Amino acid sequence: MEKKIRVRFAPSPTGGLHLGGVRTALFNYLFAKKHNGTFVLRVEDTDQTRFVAGAEEYIVDCLNWCGLTPDESPQKPGAFGPYRQSERKASYKQYAEQLIADGYAYYAFDTPEELTAKRNDQPNFLYGQKSRMEMRNSLTLAPNEVAKLIAENTPYVVRIKIPENETVSFVDMIRGLVSFDTNLVDDKVLLKADGMPTYHLAVVVDDKAMEISHAFRGEEWLPSAPIHILLWKYLGWENEMPKWAHLPLILKPDGNGKLSKRDGDRLGFPVYAMNWTDPKTGDVTKGFKELGFMPEAFINLLAMLGWNDGTDKEIFSLTELIDLFSIERISKAGAKFDFEKAKWYNHEWIKLSTASNLQVKVHSLLTEKGIEVKNESLLLKVIDLVKDRCNLLGDFVDQSVYFFSSPVEYDLAAVKPKWSPEKAAFFQEFSQNIQDDSTALQSEEEFKALAEAKGFKPGELMLPFRIMLVGGKFGPGVFDIATLLGKAETQRRIEKGIAAFN
């Protein structure tokens, strides 16, 4: 019987959610949905020294904003709970003891000071085959001495005993056959002095308990793979091991190394999905959501960092991504992050969105800036008119504010040098001729006809007209603006503009 597809996204609740983490969640989600499987959120909170209050809730909020809601999670438990590692503590110790009993692991009583002294003495010190017999552990101490130390509650860790002169191999779904020389792998800690497991033991025990079929994670975890594969073997679960896929890194814009939060700070763009507020310092790190990205665009751009469908198509909905996703199309090479390209995705998604889909968000943005929107029907028309000019959702404020409040300042420098009493007279006459039901095209024809009759080129009157209506040299077609403002408001703005220009 074929194993049911179960995948997991297993972040640590230590701070903001990096876009690389969201992409890992996305690829897990796409694979699960493509194969009618289950997408699990497991919180890896075993490192209590790095645990940050509020970080788990933040991760859940990020996934929900992206539309990647887990099928099972701490918030939505299924049959494989608990979904926080800290709540599974008892099971880890049992397996650590089993590994010791079977000769695959050992107790290590070395103090932090002893390890520091060793590292100072040997700069490239590794606790492993070459050094383990010089250390204080259950391989070098007599059994009665080990029993006495444990009975006296002497702090210890449990380390895996990596074999010498072996090759550990596995088939990665992205990279093919990957092999490791065990002589280059150290004896990693499996159980810490506080009784909590390290990632190495916990990930194996939890993947087995939760019946995970496929494990997607970042390329930076590749060096840990031999430890995990040996643990699956040593615990007798080799035939139930998930299939592995190590995803390519998301690189700095210059391609030189992994993209970090520091790079975002330096280059002026976010690397977190949503704003993250440090509970200790109160410092806020910007996120894509608050910067004005649509979740559809954020997911789309992440999918294209390391994957494509084999065509030149770049815009995909989540439904399309599920339908087209295949592991074979994930690249081995790292993908450079390009913030200008990210904004392009957002611009394309804003253009594709209906006015009604954008209405609540744009209304909220205008309200935050103190702009009152009394007419929702006008707002919908404004959104349709200006959305092609917006890269970020916040751009809607600058692009539409003048539809809801008359300009208080004018770009006089652009008008005054060529302003004249004849032009003032032209606008007074044009204002009187405006009809209630004129279309933008009709208004433009009337404007041009009157300009010709008065001996003006239409072009030299368009700029003053635009500045009367919006205050500056920006915005969509000036007759489209006038049509949406309506006859009375357009006349009022022409009158105010003439007074200001005179």
Side-chain angles (χ1 to χ4, degrees):
M1 196 176 99
E2 200 174 330
K3 196 172 180 182
K4 179 161 169 41
I5 300 289
R6 287 179 57 80
V7 300
R8 46 63 174 176
F9 175 52
S12 298
T14 55
L17 185 55
H18 188 279
L19 56 92
V22 184
R23 189 192 60 175
T24 300
L26 172 63
F27 285 178
N28 272 291
Y29 180 90
L30 295 177
F31 186 75
K33 297 305 163 191
K34 172 88 183 234
H35 299 285
N36 299 313
T38 303
F39 172 53
V40 178
L41 171 66
R42 183 174 75 217
V43 178
E44 302 206 335
D45 59 348
T46 54
D47 189 344
Q48 294 296 295
T49 59
R50 295 179 65 228
F51 174 80
V52 176
E56 181 188 313
E57 294 77 2
Y58 164 87
I59 289 164
V60 171
D61 288 345
C62 288
L63 292 179
N64 287 339
W65 174 66
C66 292
L68 308 177
T69 306
D71 301 305
E72 296 173 20
S73 68
Q75 292 69 30
K76 189 183 173 186
F80 295 87
Y83 291 85
R84 293 184 190 95
Q85 284 185 335
S86 58
E87 294 169 13
R88 306 171 71 90
K89 186 174 172 180
S91 67
Y92 304 120
K93 189 169 174 61
Q94 163 201 335
Y95 292 114
E97 299 287 355
Q98 181 186 321
L99 288 164
I100 292 168
D102 293 342
Y104 296 124
Y106 57 93
Y107 298 107
F109 300 95
D110 318 279
T111 65
E113 293 75 22
E114 285 167 345
L115 290 170
T116 301
K118 200 76 173 166
R119 288 189 190 105
N120 290 339
D121 203 31
Q122 299 176 29
N124 297 318
F125 171 73
L126 286 180
Y127 203 127
Q129 298 111 324
K130 291 186 171 64
S131 62
R132 62 169 82 111
M133 299 311 286
E134 305 163 7
M135 309 300 287
R136 269 200 333 138
N137 54 53
S138 57
L139 303 176
T140 59
L141 301 170
N144 61 339
E145 201 175 340
V146 171
K148 182 171 178 284
L149 287 168
I150 290 172
E152 291 170 350
N153 292 322
T154 306
Y156 66 82
V157 298
V158 174
R159 290 181 179 272
I160 186 171
K161 188 180 175 190
I162 298 286
E164 286 186 69
N165 308 321
E166 284 189 20
T167 299
V168 175
S169 300
F170 73 100
V171 176
D172 187 280
M173 290 184 283
I174 296 169
R175 292 153 204 286
L177 184 67
V178 184
S179 298
F180 296 88
D181 176 356
T182 57
N183 294 326
L184 303 175
V185 182
D186 55 332
D187 293 355
K188 294 286 186 202
V189 172
L190 302 180
L191 203 71
K192 292 177 282 190
D194 62 1
M196 278 290 196
T198 60
Y199 174 77
H200 305 297
L201 180 62
V203 74
V204 171
V205 170
D206 289 346
D207 282 352
K208 166 70 167 69
M210 291 183 166
E211 295 181 14
I212 299 303
S213 64
H214 296 74
F216 292 79
R217 60 186 185 182
E219 182 188 314
E220 62 269 35
W221 288 107
L222 257 179
S224 303
I227 297 142
H228 303 158
I229 286 156
L230 286 171
L231 286 173
W232 279 95
K233 181 180 165 187
Y234 293 164
L235 289 164
W237 304 333
E238 200 168 8
N239 295 335
E240 297 164 82
M241 185 168 74
K243 292 179 176 168
W244 300 93
H246 288 84
L247 305 172
L249 295 176
I250 297 178
L251 304 173
K252 302 173 199 275
D254 63 6
N256 191 14
K258 184 180 171 185
L259 180 72
S260 70
K261 176 184 168 295
R262 205 175 291 113
D263 298 315
D265 294 342
R266 178 173 57 88
L267 298 166
F269 56 76
V271 297
Y272 288 166
M274 288 166 56
N275 276 10
W276 167 251
T277 305
D278 187 308
K280 288 191 181 128
T281 63
D283 291 344
V284 177
T285 305
K286 273 279 189 198
F288 279 86
K289 179 190 176 191
E290 290 77 8
L291 190 69
F293 272 76
M294 297 181 68
E296 298 90 340
F298 185 54
I299 284 304
N300 192 163
L301 75 92
L302 287 183
M304 303 305 283
L305 287 171
W307 174 89
N308 67 73
D309 74 333
T311 72
D312 291 335
K313 183 173 157 76
E314 292 186 274
I315 301 299
F316 297 92
S317 67
L318 189 54
T319 308
E320 288 173 313
L321 288 171
I322 291 167
D323 189 42
L324 293 164
F325 186 73
S326 73
I327 293 173
E328 292 73 30
R329 303 261 3 137
I330 297 176
S331 166
K332 293 185 189 71
K336 289 184 200 174
F337 180 73
D338 179 347
F339 187 56
E340 291 309 311
K341 185 71 176 183
K343 286 194 291 187
W344 175 84
Y345 278 108
N346 206 50
H347 177 62
E348 293 302 307
W349 271 102
I350 286 173
K351 288 196 299 186
L352 283 172
S353 299
T354 61
S356 54
N357 185 33
L358 294 163
Q359 182 181 7
V360 172
K361 183 65 186 168
V362 175
H363 191 146
S364 154
L365 287 165
L366 290 165
T367 305
E368 281 170 26
K369 296 290 183 184
I371 299 153
E372 195 178 356
V373 179
K374 294 175 182 168
N375 185 336
E376 292 297 327
S377 165
L378 172 62
L379 178 61
L380 288 169
K381 288 174 186 167
V382 168
I383 290 170
D384 263 333
L385 184 59
V386 304
K387 67 181 185 179
D388 284 12
R389 313 173 75 81
C390 299
N391 289 321
L392 301 169
L393 290 172
D395 295 344
F396 275 101
V397 175
D398 290 339
Q399 292 294 342
S400 58
V401 58
Y402 48 81
F403 286 102
F404 304 100
S405 60
S406 184
V408 289
E409 290 181 351
Y410 297 97
D411 183 355
L412 295 176
V415 180
K416 288 202 85 164
K418 292 184 179 179
W419 185 248
S420 66
E422 291 76 20
K423 286 182 180 176
F426 166 84
F427 279 105
Q428 279 160 343
E429 188 171 337
F430 173 70
S431 177
Q432 287 159 10
N433 294 344
I434 294 173
Q435 302 300 309
D436 268 323
D437 54 357
S438 288
T439 64
L441 188 61
Q442 286 166 339
S443 294
E444 185 173 5
E445 285 169 352
E446 286 158 16
F447 186 93
K448 286 178 175 174
L450 183 61
E452 211 172 309
K454 298 291 181 186
F456 290 112
K457 288 178 182 167
E460 59 186 305
L461 298 165
M462 294 280 212
L463 182 61
F465 188 31
R466 177 178 292 283
I467 291 172
M468 285 171 181
L469 298 184
V470 306
K473 296 185 278 189
F474 51 84
V478 69
F479 299 101
D480 292 315
I481 297 171
T483 304
L484 281 194
L485 289 173
K487 176 183 174 178
E489 182 61 18
T490 300
Q491 287 175 327
R492 198 173 70 78
R493 292 193 187 189
I494 289 173
E495 195 180 321
K496 267 183 73 183
I498 291 169
F501 301 165
N502 286 340

